[in-house]
Amino acid sequence: MPPGVRRAATAIVVTTAVALAAAAVAYAGNGGLAPPDPKSPNAERINDAYWVIVVFAGFIFFLVEGSLLAFVLKYRRRRRPRTAEGPQIHGSTKLEVAWTVLPVVILALIGAVVFYKLPGIKNVPAARAAGNTTVEIEGHQFYWLFRYPNGAVAIDDMRAPADAVVRERITAPEDGVIHSWWVPQLGGKFDAIPGTVNQTWFEAPAGRYEYRCGELCGIQHAFMNGYVRVLPQREFRAWVDRRAQNATGTELGREEWRGVCQKCHRLDTEFIGPAIGGNPLLADRKGIEPLLREGRGNMPAVGDTWTDEQIDALVNYAKRYAGEGSQGGGAG
Ligand code: CUA
């Protein structure tokens, strides 16, 4: 192949690949460049700031890469000798002023937009007549614990009332590690730090919003994900009352078993920790409490912040796996 043809062929291959990649990103829409559709006023403002920055960053990207390509092509060597020197140019007041002033203006614009949006991201809107709910959110290895004002507790599945301000107080147990509470559609990332409380809020229509832990926190970090279920207010009230009245019930017990124990244990095979099917400890309230509260060996103190009712709920549920014959029960 003559060099000219080879170059043209390479150029076509590269252009096609870039065009395909760009088309894939454009087609993917939300799965590509764009953040997920915001559903809370603070998330909307974060999204707006993102797009302002993307527009300027995109403009500068094409400006810089475009001129780079143009210069590479226009001033390529052609048949000139390798040692030929180009024209020597000094100073261009207009250009120098432009490339100093323009970035200053762009940065000032971005700063102005972000500072304008900031209060609406950070500040909780004034309380509405409907009142608001505060949820205490604890990041544990490797589950999320939610506590409601009436004492109700939930694991991994957060529920909240629709179209009401929901305040979140995010933390982690004193001897724990740092996690990050992240519901992309409902706002930014907030670290769950031992001994510190970070606060944020959201106000969303009924729906199901995915969350995940945004901070590498240990071997099962990838399983610290789930949903915030925003329910019509009456449905939420009914759920939170039922949960508070059944503090040791099956619903919570099952959530604890699946969200806390099964992240690391299987019944019949060694997983992250040993198999626990048929272990009499599962029915032994007195024996299992110190294990949950203090941990042992590689096992973290998963229940160090639990109420007595939470431990009762787990034993009430888990005792079915304590006896002989529970070993072959699969994942339960
Ligand atoms: Cu918790 Cu990552």
Side-chain angles (χ1 to χ4, degrees), residues 139-144 177-180 213-218 220-222 224:
H140 288 256
Q141 281 175 315
F142 296 95
Y143 67 96
W144 292 97
V177 302
I178 299 175
H179 308 263
S180 177
C213 181
E215 179 84 40
L216 183 62
C217 54
Q220 294 299 71
H221 152 75
M224 286 187 71

Side-chain angles (χ1 to χ4, degrees), residues 74-236:
K74 182 157 187 219
Y75 298 107
R76 66 187 186 278
R77 184 161 64 90
R78 289 216 175 87
R79 293 180 195 292
R80 286 194 298 273
R82 224 167 231 293
T83 50
E85 274 200 44
Q88 304 297 302
I89 297 165
H90 282 276
S92 165
T93 312
K94 269 190 206 156
L95 261 182
E96 284 164 21
V97 169
W99 76 49
T100 307
V101 171
L102 202 61
V104 170
V105 171
I106 290 176
L107 286 180
L109 269 174
I110 290 177
V113 170
V114 169
F115 278 110
Y116 171 73
K117 295 283 182 192
L118 212 49
I121 295 172
K122 196 169 178 303
N123 301 339
V124 181
R128 309 278 159 93
N132 58 47
T133 305
T134 302
V135 186
E136 311 269 343
I137 301 177
E138 289 175 13
H140 288 256
Q141 281 175 315
F142 296 95
Y143 67 96
W144 292 97
L145 173 62
F146 308 102
R147 290 184 202 282
Y148 296 82
N150 68 349
V153 169
I155 304 281
D156 279 358
D157 239 355
M158 175 170 163
R159 285 172 178 78
D163 308 311
V165 172
V166 178
R167 293 166 183 261
E168 299 172 296
R169 293 170 48 84
I170 302 152
T171 189
E174 290 281 351
D175 59 350
V177 302
I178 299 175
H179 308 263
S180 177
W181 174 245
W182 186 30
V183 197
Q185 285 184 284
L186 303 184
K189 271 180 187 163
F190 281 81
D191 278 357
I193 302 170
T196 299
V197 176
N198 281 326
Q199 307 204 39
T200 185
W201 61 278
F202 65 81
E203 185 181 7
R208 199 181 70 153
Y209 307 102
E210 194 176 13
Y211 74 77
R212 59 181 58 250
C213 181
E215 179 84 40
L216 183 62
C217 54
I219 189 166
Q220 294 299 71
H221 152 75
F223 293 93
M224 286 187 71
N225 54 6
Y227 292 96
V228 175
R229 296 171 203 280
V230 176
L231 308 172
Q233 302 212 0
R234 275 177 56 193
E235 209 178 307
F236 171 75

Side-chain angles (χ1 to χ4, degrees), residues 287-313:
I288 204 168
E289 181 168 6
L291 183 62
L292 294 170
R293 293 208 186 278
E294 287 145 38
R296 186 178 301 164
N298 287 331
M299 177 172 159
V302 290
D304 51 354
T305 67
W306 288 16
T307 59
D308 289 342
E309 285 81 14
Q310 280 180 266
I311 291 180
D312 291 337

